[in-house]
């Protein structure tokens, strides 16, 4: 069982930055692939970024590539999402998720555990 708690969301002006943090419980964190997803009001959940257990392999959605960076610290059971050059269209609830294997990283249905989410609002 893995429990995930997100933090770091908030209100920021367009062009600003935020860093989201996802703290995970459990001694097997380092064996999980981790992902960030987001859901804007009235829209479907979408993939943002993911990172495999070894930290060397990441995947970012085209919409955030070059602006967002996912990383992890296995010693701290934590995964991060650094978000730069934020745009109003990045406004959403951001969710952290964990999955046991390294395949299907962009598909939310493949993930086994989810956090409660943190709100990110970008004003124009």
């Amino acid at each position: 069982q893995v429990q995930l708690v997100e933090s770091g969301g908030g209100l920021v002006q367009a062009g600003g930055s935020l860093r989201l943090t996802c703290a995970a419980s459990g001694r097997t964190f380092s064996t999980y692939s981790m992902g960030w997803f987001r859901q804007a009001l009235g829209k479907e959940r979408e993939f943002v970024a993911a990172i495999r257990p070894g930290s060397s392999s990441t995947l970012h959605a085209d919409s955030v590539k070059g602006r967002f960076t996912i990383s992890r610290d296995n010693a701290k059971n934590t995964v991060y999402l650094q978000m730069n050059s934020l745009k109003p269209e990045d406004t959403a609830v951001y969710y952290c998720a964990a999955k046991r294997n390294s395949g299907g990283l962009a598909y939310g249905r493949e993930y086994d555990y989810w956090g409660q989410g943190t709100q990110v609002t970008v004003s124009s």
Side-chain angles (χ1 to χ4, degrees):
Q1 187 79 8
V2 175
Q3 293 184 325
L4 304 172
V5 178
E6 304 95 334
S7 62
L11 174 64
V12 64
Q13 288 187 334
S17 298
L18 284 174
R19 187 175 80 158
L20 304 184
T21 298
C22 174
S25 66
R27 291 177 289 181
T28 58
F29 172 79
S30 62
T31 66
Y32 283 78
S33 294
M34 301 297 296
W36 286 99
F37 291 77
R38 67 186 182 186
Q39 188 167 19
L41 194 63
K43 295 187 177 181
E44 294 187 352
R45 181 179 62 196
E46 66 172 348
F47 169 74
V48 176
I51 186 167
R52 290 186 170 89
S55 302
S56 62
S57 178
T58 61
L59 181 67
H60 294 81
D62 288 343
S63 59
V64 306
K65 202 169 291 183
R67 300 188 300 122
F68 292 11
T69 303
I70 189 171
S71 62
R72 67 190 294 163
D73 185 337
N74 288 335
K76 296 182 178 180
N77 278 19
T78 302
V79 63
Y80 305 98
L81 185 67
Q82 178 66 44
M83 306 187 295
N84 299 328
S85 302
L86 282 160
K87 304 175 181 179
E89 50 263 44
D90 295 318
T91 295
V93 177
Y94 283 71
Y95 296 92
C96 175
K99 67 190 308 291
R100 294 186 182 90
N101 57 52
S102 298
L105 291 179
Y107 302 101
R109 63 179 181 271
E110 297 286 334
Y111 284 75
D112 303 294
Y113 303 102
W114 292 83
Q116 294 299 308
T118 185
Q119 175 71 47
V120 171
T121 303
V122 184
S123 64
S124 57

